[in-house]
Amino acid sequence: MANRFMTLMEYNGKPTPMDSILRLRAFGFKIRFTTNAEGVIDWVGDTLLYGNIQFSMPQLRSMIHGMIASARQHILANLMLLQIDREGSVARDATACPTIDWGKLVDNAAEQQVGWSFMEDPRNKNATSVVDPKQWLAQRLQNEKAIRNQFINVEATRAALARGGGVVWAENRVQAYGQAMKGARQELAPLVHMTGGGPPRGSELVTVTYKNSANGDSRGTNIEDG
């Protein structure tokens, strides 16, 4: 049965259904790659026309700058849990946002260790204003009462500790933080697509890794010359 329906040709030389399907597929590819598509994009000066849509390059740049500002505010307020003023900047009398000296960042592109990224490079310790960037948010959770009360059910935790248990998290707040992470990735995806050089395919965009994976694939982001 398998030889009859799934191979290109039976042993006695007669074409199989799979053979016909692949021949039609190849014929379709031939038409597709030898026929010019109708033009749908036109330019008038620096204005791009696409169907009923038109925009100029300054408008496109303005849109991207607006998307960057929106994504930055989302990350600062909802992921880094910083207080934001009306202008979208970190409030002066609140916890400061860690700074990064981009010129000091280095990387080892030849490193194949699983889980390695430029953040693991010990030479980058002096590139940030905090001692351990990975523990910065956890330390704030321990030290800042306002954040601690958001994520921890204080009364339930006290009762649990009295019984020898552990911390009781505020489930709704933790889930909201997870949704905020998802929203940040959704905002970053089009920005990476439009500002990261040549636009990637969809399958390429969503599979970029920042650290080496366990299956031997190297990360897709590297630091070069700071």
Side-chain angles (χ1 to χ4, degrees):
M1 184 65 71
N3 290 334
R4 181 178 179 185
F5 290 101
M6 297 304 296
T7 58
L8 296 183
M9 188 172 290
E10 292 187 27
Y11 296 120
N12 58 5
K14 295 181 180 180
T16 66
M18 185 59 66
D19 183 77
S20 300
I21 291 172
L22 292 178
R23 286 179 180 274
L24 288 174
R25 177 173 174 267
F27 181 62
F29 278 158
K30 177 66 174 179
I31 296 174
R32 169 64 181 84
F33 292 118
T34 57
T35 304
N36 293 330
E38 296 182 1
V40 294
I41 295 179
D42 194 12
W43 288 89
V44 178
D46 67 346
T47 300
L48 185 146
L49 308 177
Y50 176 74
N52 296 325
I53 302 173
Q54 69 177 51
F55 54 86
S56 65
M57 289 299 98
Q59 289 175 326
L60 178 62
R61 287 192 293 268
S62 177
M63 180 194 71
I64 293 176
H65 284 302
M67 293 173 63
I68 292 174
S70 176
R72 183 177 185 275
Q73 291 181 20
H74 178 84
I75 292 173
L76 290 175
N78 299 320
L79 296 186
M80 300 180 72
L81 306 178
L82 297 171
Q83 295 183 22
I84 306 300
D85 58 23
R86 294 182 178 180
E87 297 179 355
S89 301
V90 179
R92 294 183 179 181
D93 57 347
T95 301
C97 179
T99 59
I100 301 175
D101 189 340
W102 299 100
K104 291 184 178 180
L105 286 178
V106 295
D107 196 1
N108 182 4
E111 179 60 62
Q112 298 297 317
Q113 178 183 348
V114 175
W116 174 273
S117 72
F118 68 91
M119 295 183 64
E120 307 296 335
D121 198 310
R123 296 172 294 176
N124 288 329
K125 290 184 178 180
N126 297 326
T128 62
S129 60
V130 294
V131 177
D132 189 354
K134 291 185 176 181
Q135 295 298 321
W136 176 76
L137 194 58
Q139 291 174 355
R140 290 186 59 211
L141 181 64
Q142 295 177 355
N143 300 330
E144 298 184 21
K145 183 178 180 180
I147 297 179
R148 186 167 62 249
N149 289 342
Q150 290 183 41
F151 287 87
I152 297 177
N153 189 326
V154 178
E155 295 182 359
T157 297
R158 289 174 180 172
L161 292 175
R163 298 191 302 268
V167 175
V168 179
W169 297 96
E171 184 176 348
N172 292 338
R173 185 64 182 88
V174 173
Q175 291 178 352
Y177 189 86
Q179 290 298 319
M181 293 180 62
K182 181 179 179 180
R185 289 193 292 267
Q186 291 174 343
E187 292 189 41
L188 289 174
L191 290 174
V192 172
H193 180 76
M194 291 186 289
T195 64
R201 300 181 180 90
S203 58
E204 296 171 337
L205 178 63
V206 298
T207 55
V208 174
T209 56
Y210 72 94
K211 62 181 180 180
N212 296 337
S213 64
N215 59 9
D217 294 335
S218 298
R219 60 196 183 280
T221 55
N222 294 276
I223 302 296
E224 182 177 358
D225 295 333

